[in-house]
Amino acid sequence: MDILNANRPDSSLTPRQIAKVRQQAEEFEGVFLNTLTKQLFSSIKTDESVMGGGFGEDTWRSMQAEQIADTMAQNGGLGIAEQLLPDLLAMQEAANNQNNIMPTTGAYK
């Protein structure tokens, strides 16, 4: 599903739903990037670094990894959010349509 097609007349998605799904996809990418950057920073030997190592540096590196990951995700990241977005929108639309199904009466009662 193209993101632009989510605004088509027969779509059950509201602009608010589309924005929320987009935000969730970006947050997912942020979590992934946060994990990635923390792993990258964990490979640095802190006892040999300029900061001298210790608890303070570990804390600082954790915050730095989080900020770098958030900034990367907000600026497009690796494209994970954009790859997930069409599927997430399709799932949201399917959930909307499932909730709108009206029971019908047929030959079997």
Side-chain angles (χ1 to χ4, degrees), residues 42-68:
S42 73
S43 67
I44 298 172
K45 296 185 185 334
T46 59
D47 57 338
E48 298 174 3
S49 70
V50 176
M51 304 296 263
F55 178 74
E57 185 171 349
D58 288 341
T59 303
W60 177 81
R61 286 198 187 277
S62 174
M63 291 187 297
Q64 183 184 27
E66 187 175 326
Q67 289 301 311
I68 289 171

Side-chain angles (χ1 to χ4, degrees), residues 30-47:
V31 169
F32 174 79
L33 289 170
N34 190 9
T35 302
L36 179 69
T37 54
K38 282 184 180 179
Q39 283 298 103
L40 290 171
F41 279 131
S42 73
S43 67
I44 298 172
K45 296 185 185 334
T46 59
D47 57 338

